[in-house]
Amino acid sequence: MKKKYSAALDRSPPWARRVTHVLFAFVCVACLFPILLVFAISISDEATIAQHGYEIIPRMLSSRSYEYVLSDFQQIMRGYMVSITITVIGTVLGTLITAMIAYPLSRTDFPFRRHFTFFVAFTMLFNGGLVPWYLVYVKMLGAKNTIIPLIMPLLINGFNVIILRTFISANIHPAIIESAIIDGAGELQIFFKMVLPLSVTGLAAVALLVSLNYWNDWYNALLFIDTKKLFPLQFLMYRVNISIQVLNTSSFIPDAAANARTRLPNETARMAMSILGIGPIVLAYPFLQKYFVRGLTLGSVKG
Amino acid sequence: MKRLFSMISVLLILSVTIAFAGGGKQSGQAASGDTSKQVTVDWYWVENLEEADNDLVSSEISKLTQPKINTKVQMHVFDWGSYTTKIDLMLASGEKIDLVSTTGLPFHQMVAKDYFLPLDELYANYGKEMAQYMIDYNLEGCRVNGKLYAIPTPKEAGGCYGYVIRKDYVDATGVDLSKVKTMEDMTAIWAKFKAYDPNFSIYNNASAYIDLMGFQVLGDGPGRIYKNEKAEIVNEYDHPAFQAIAKLWHEWYVAGYINKETSTPDFAHTAALRDNKIQAIGGQCKNGIEAEVSSGIGGKYEFTKVIIQPPIALTFTGYECAFAIPRTSPNPERAMMFLNLLMSNPEIHNLANFGIEGRNYITLPDGRIDFPKGVDAANLTYIPNAVWENGNAFISKWWNTYPVDHVARLRAYNATVQPSVALGFSFDADPVKAEIGACANVTNEFKQAILSGAQPLENYLSRMQQQYKAAGIDRVIAEKQKQLRAWLAAKK
């Protein structure tokens, strides 16, 4: 039986606990501050920003940036749809495939186990390089301007496989699997009916990592997507920011193009987009967080 | 373990083969001029927003090009942020691109990578109609080792620097701008404006402050030619002219001529002009800049300009707005034929640049164009505003913020342009890339103080020069000097 943690069992002196609390309060503020600042800027008036710089308490409120961002409502909504679609599909598929690799690797009776583990670890250190990788998707799969290159490249991450493998071998005793075999279960049955339900915590941790990867990805869209209707939300944001940066910093942009800047959103609108971009993924956190913590601390506590 | 390695090597060989199979396609280079087969020209260019009507306009252009050269056209527009990455990757992997705008691309690097076709023959064979509009200086800038690698868009032949000033101030005070020769001459004019309106103030455009001081750009990084007199690289931050003008600007700042708010980074000069906070900006002064600035603030005020650094045609002026035909194009002849039409056929040109008449613009009785009823720049479905990139300024229509005789003025302007003493020279920045980056960081730190004149020069001059030295400015200049000397020697 595992003992639940409670304050009564904590035998550290009260001052130590207080110090810890204060410390963590500081960390919390440090984490929240940037988000609050971005939010404050997004609701500030552009002119006061230009005059006084960024301020945590807006001098003058304005909803203009949100009006601007939402004026292209359709595009934003489409971006949301694409992001949500790839996150949901990618997370489900990615987690499943990760588990399907991790589980066999955790079985000591799996032949060539070390070699396959090496293959997984190898991808964490080396990759094929940008151009061949691009060629595989564009030339071999013909997947440019489809949803495939938004999902496929992020499906498996060697690191997640290793996490999950360690989790399974630490939490599922070989005797459990042996007993299932004795009861006449096939490999697929064992995997879906025993292993997956028993490793929910580990799966949830991996799922959170994978979903964050999908939600935050803009790079695949940059490489593979030319049509507006498949732009994920993060790429819309990236595009605006990087375009402003290019136009502002390059000395080699014709002045006529620099004038085009007048049609790009201003500082506050960019911040408003960031706030919208945080969106639903923030809601996923509280639900998955308890699993997340348990999943990642696996192996550190002997139970 | 042995088996494992053999497996890995098989995989490696496989991927390399795929890479070559994809990229190795050679296009037929024989100029046949045969148009019996219908092809599609994929035309790539850069703009900050994708226009809603891009595909519609592409199909309208195709309707015109099909009977003439049996070719369909499809435009592809990427934003500034992704353009270089995407085009580079597409060309590296052998994807089909028929025509690509070189704006914002590392042109010389791409030529060195052998991405583009040499165009001399194609241009001679299929570019006859557009050749009559071409500007020789700009063509010269598109040559690398004597071969033509891009076709520049016909427009102004070079850039010049000075001040764009509100016309009502000039009219009210009656100053004579034609007498202005140097930066010092402006002091008296600013004084008159200040006396006329105590709120008067100006802004020196951050991206052009060094050019405004009379140093011409010579590729990336520091090291410039002063005043176009001799092909010699100077360290602009050590040059007496730099110090003299920086001092002058500080005097202006103290006298209140330079707006105090402009010392903040990201100062939005367009908004400030519109809100009557500043009344003049220093920077690029090419032909038509008055109209461009005016339309940039919604036509609220009229502008005039005074040129202090006369126009010079640089190598960069040539290829900054030009078209290249990549090796991955299966039909380079058709690409050139289409480019020829785009630059010489007003119907196709105006379609590509302004969209469909009636839907995207209307023509006024004097030949200029205006927004159709009920729409403006914010919600028009096709307004790339990129004649400088895609067009021929001599056959183009112009928005009604431009003067009626814009083209005549452009010709007159081009007649005043002088070629740079280093026209045709291009700097290969690769050997000193790290130093250039470090110098740019130093520049960013001091730029604002210099151009706004907020601090007296003595306060930071020695510190600035020390930091430049530490960043390796001397190595950049030595490298540039070496390359320029080699280029001059080869030219003789």
Side-chain angles (χ1 to χ4, degrees):
Chain A
M1 242 304 268
K2 270 186 201 168
K3 275 178 196 161
K4 271 205 160 175
Y5 171 85
S6 80
L9 287 168
D10 188 352
R11 254 176 267 140
S12 53
W15 63 266
R17 220 181 303 158
R18 246 171 257 144
V19 168
T20 321
H21 284 180
V22 169
L23 201 73
F24 277 112
F26 267 118
V27 173
C28 278
V29 171
C31 291
L32 274 177
F33 184 77
I35 299 178
L36 286 179
L37 184 64
V38 166
F39 180 68
I41 296 163
S42 76
I43 55 170
S44 303
D45 182 61
E46 180 76 15
T48 53
I49 297 261
Q51 243 170 20
H52 305 285
Y54 299 152
E55 285 166 319
I56 188 76
I57 297 158
R59 276 176 201 241
M60 232 163 90
L61 290 179
S62 152
S63 63
R64 240 185 64 197
S65 56
Y66 283 94
E67 280 162 28
Y68 173 87
V69 170
L70 293 176
S71 70
D72 202 3
F73 189 68
Q74 264 191 318
Q75 182 68 48
I76 299 272
M77 279 300 118
R78 234 185 281 134
Y80 258 120
M81 281 316 295
V82 173
S83 279
I84 291 171
T85 313
I86 61 171
T87 306
V88 170
I89 297 178
T91 308
V92 171
L93 273 182
T95 314
L96 185 70
I97 294 175
T98 307
M100 283 162 86
I101 301 173
Y103 165 62
L105 293 184
S106 74
R107 290 265 301 258
T108 43
D109 52 344
F110 179 55
F112 298 114
R113 186 166 88 109
R114 285 169 155 278
H115 293 167
F116 282 106
T117 312
F118 173 75
F119 262 134
V120 171
F122 190 78
T123 62
M124 289 165 67
L125 301 173
F126 301 100
N127 62 52
L130 184 59
V131 172
W133 180 67
Y134 178 83
L135 276 172
V136 167
Y137 285 100
V138 174
K139 283 269 156 89
M140 274 177 71
L141 302 176
K144 204 171 185 182
N145 289 327
T146 65
I147 203 163
I148 293 170
L150 292 181
I151 293 178
M152 242 169 87
L154 297 174
L155 276 179
I156 299 166
N157 178 333
F159 181 67
N160 291 344
V161 174
I162 305 285
I163 290 187
L164 203 57
R165 189 204 61 166
T166 319
F167 180 88
I168 294 175
S169 43
N171 283 356
I172 302 178
H173 200 273
I176 298 177
I177 294 161
E178 215 173 296
S179 71
I181 296 172
I182 292 169
D183 287 344
E187 288 294 348
L188 279 178
Q189 232 175 339
I190 294 173
F191 178 67
F192 283 107
K193 294 221 164 132
M194 313 263 323
V195 175
L196 285 189
L198 280 172
S199 34
V200 169
T201 18
L203 288 175
V206 168
L208 187 64
L209 290 176
V210 174
S211 65
L212 276 180
N213 256 350
Y214 275 105
W215 186 262
N216 288 331
D217 174 60
W218 49 264
Y219 190 61
N220 291 321
L222 167 73
L223 297 183
F224 296 112
I225 306 297
D226 304 338
T227 48
K228 254 181 168 177
K229 63 176 199 288
L230 273 176
F231 285 163
L233 194 63
Q234 306 290 341
F235 181 64
L236 286 176
M237 240 151 55
Y238 166 81
R239 213 163 71 117
V240 167
N241 277 327
I242 197 77
S243 292
I244 291 175
Q245 205 184 328
V246 168
L247 289 172
N248 273 342
T249 55
S250 176
S251 58
F252 281 173
I253 299 290
D255 290 66
N259 274 351
R261 215 178 314 164
T262 47
R263 286 179 72 206
L264 285 169
N266 51 33
E267 202 74 19
T268 57
R270 282 152 75 188
M271 299 301 171
M273 279 189 87
S274 317
I275 291 295
L276 290 177
I278 298 173
I281 204 72
V282 162
L283 303 178
Y285 252 103
F287 294 108
L288 289 171
Q289 203 200 15
K290 55 177 180 175
Y291 297 114
F292 191 60
V293 174
R294 264 197 274 165
L296 281 187
T297 52
L298 82 223
S300 57
V301 182
K302 297 268 183 281
Chain B
M1 223 42 192
K2 222 175 183 180
R3 216 160 96 201
L4 190 74
F5 276 116
S6 60
M7 263 173 93
I8 291 175
S9 50
V10 166
L11 273 176
L12 277 177
I13 291 167
L14 209 76
S15 57
V16 169
T17 323
I18 293 164
F20 273 100
K25 197 177 168 298
Q26 282 290 324
S27 50
Q29 288 191 40
S32 63
D34 173 27
T35 53
S36 57
K37 203 172 109 245
Q38 182 185 308
V39 298
T40 303
V41 165
D42 284 296
W43 165 30
Y44 288 79
W45 51 285
V46 53
E47 200 207 335
N48 59 340
L49 297 168
E50 196 181 319
E51 305 296 339
D53 281 356
N54 273 349
D55 286 340
L56 184 69
V57 170
S58 293
S59 73
E60 287 294 316
I61 296 174
S62 298
K63 274 183 206 161
L64 293 175
T65 52
Q66 208 150 12
K68 287 190 199 330
I69 53 173
N70 199 16
T71 301
K72 282 188 164 180
V73 176
Q74 177 63 50
M75 58 168 88
H76 305 262
V77 184
F78 297 151
D79 55 289
W80 285 100
S82 23
Y83 190 66
T84 311
T85 318
K86 277 191 166 176
I87 296 292
D88 195 50
L89 203 48
M90 288 178 75
L91 291 177
S93 64
E95 261 186 89
K96 176 183 186 259
I97 298 180
D98 293 294
L99 200 59
V100 63
S101 165
T102 59
T103 303
L105 292 182
F107 178 70
H108 286 92
Q109 278 175 41
M110 289 189 156
V111 171
K113 285 187 194 163
D114 206 21
Y115 282 171
F116 300 143
L117 286 171
L119 301 175
D120 295 274
E121 209 176 307
L122 288 171
Y123 176 61
N125 287 338
Y126 308 114
K128 291 195 184 77
E129 283 80 16
M130 66 175 161
Q132 57 179 307
Y133 303 105
M134 276 307 151
I135 289 146
D136 292 338
Y137 296 149
N138 289 353
L139 269 178
E140 194 53 43
C142 292
R143 286 183 191 278
V144 181
N145 298 328
K147 281 188 195 160
L148 191 63
Y149 281 97
I151 308 293
T153 57
K155 57 180 181 74
E156 66 268 354
C160 57
Y161 296 87
Y163 287 90
V164 178
I165 306 166
R166 276 261 295 275
K167 200 161 177 290
D168 45 335
Y169 281 71
V170 178
D171 293 345
T173 52
V175 293
D176 186 3
L177 291 178
S178 64
K179 287 211 181 102
V180 173
K181 292 281 177 295
T182 64
M183 191 66 81
E184 284 79 14
D185 295 344
M186 295 308 293
T187 313
I189 291 170
W190 300 146
K192 275 197 182 143
F193 290 165
K194 196 77 185 172
Y196 165 68
D197 174 11
N199 281 327
F200 173 84
S201 64
I202 66 160
Y203 166 61
N204 290 333
N205 201 341
S207 61
Y209 76 105
I210 275 287
D211 313 75
L212 194 55
M213 289 173 163
F215 299 92
Q216 62 172 267
V217 176
L218 212 64
D220 274 324
R224 286 157 192 259
I225 289 176
Y226 183 62
K227 290 280 186 196
N228 202 32
E229 275 149 13
K230 50 182 187 244
E232 191 192 287
I233 312 274
V234 298
N235 178 346
E236 60 266 36
Y237 302 104
D238 267 344
H239 200 274
F242 172 87
Q243 299 181 13
I245 291 179
K247 277 199 183 106
L248 184 68
W249 284 353
H250 178 59
E251 282 163 27
W252 289 2
Y253 184 86
V254 172
Y257 304 153
I258 294 181
N259 192 301
K260 302 259 189 300
E261 281 174 28
T262 59
S263 54
T264 57
D266 295 332
F267 173 74
H269 63 268
T270 316
L273 269 180
R274 187 186 54 224
D275 301 340
N276 198 17
K277 275 189 190 155
I278 55 173
Q279 288 80 17
I281 47 173
Q284 170 70 263
C285 263
K286 62 175 185 172
N287 186 55
I289 189 81
E290 310 95 311
E292 248 171 55
V293 172
S294 175
S295 59
I297 59 166
K300 203 172 162 192
Y301 300 109
E302 266 190 84
F303 291 88
T304 181
K305 72 177 172 198
V306 52
I307 295 174
I308 295 172
Q309 309 298 341
I312 297 171
L314 307 173
T315 308
F316 162 66
T317 328
Y319 67 82
E320 68 168 337
C321 308
F323 281 102
I325 300 179
R327 281 200 188 274
T328 60
S329 165
N331 309 98
E333 302 88 21
R334 294 303 174 85
M336 184 61 82
M337 286 180 205
F338 166 65
L339 188 61
N340 184 41
L341 282 178
L342 180 67
M343 296 301 164
S344 63
N345 182 314
E347 214 178 340
I348 293 173
H349 175 279
N350 290 328
L351 194 52
N353 280 293
F354 304 106
I356 299 153
E357 180 151 21
R359 177 186 168 94
N360 305 118
Y361 70 93
I362 51 164
T363 307
L364 300 172
D366 60 11
R368 295 185 295 178
I369 57 173
D370 199 359
F371 295 113
K373 226 182 159 91
V375 292
D376 58 21
N379 55 13
L380 202 57
T381 46
Y382 193 81
I383 174 176
N385 200 7
V387 177
W388 51 269
E389 185 187 3
N390 287 334
N392 174 352
F394 301 103
I395 62 169
S396 181
K397 295 196 178 204
W398 292 98
W399 288 98
N400 59 353
T401 45
Y402 284 83
V404 186
D405 59 343
H406 179 68
V407 173
R409 288 186 193 202
L410 185 61
R411 284 185 202 280
Y413 173 89
N414 277 354
T416 66
V417 174
Q418 293 296 315
S420 159
V421 287
L423 177 64
F425 167 73
S426 76
F427 175 52
D428 173 15
D430 260 3
V432 285
K433 226 175 181 172
E435 286 85 356
I436 288 176
C439 286
N441 286 338
V442 181
T443 306
N444 281 338
E445 204 181 321
F446 293 104
K447 182 171 75 179
Q448 224 66 33
I450 295 164
L451 75 105
S452 69
Q455 298 268 326
L457 185 67
E458 305 83 59
N459 282 7
Y460 54 84
L461 184 66
S462 64
R463 193 156 52 95
M464 181 182 85
Q465 280 168 345
Q466 266 168 22
Q467 290 197 16
Y468 272 121
K469 286 262 185 299
I473 194 169
D474 295 333
R475 277 193 294 279
V476 180
I477 289 169
E479 177 70 29
K480 230 178 225 186
Q481 188 76 66
K482 194 183 89 190
Q483 288 186 23
L484 184 67
R485 267 200 208 114
W487 176 80
L488 282 169
K491 213 174 85 167
K492 271 169 196 162

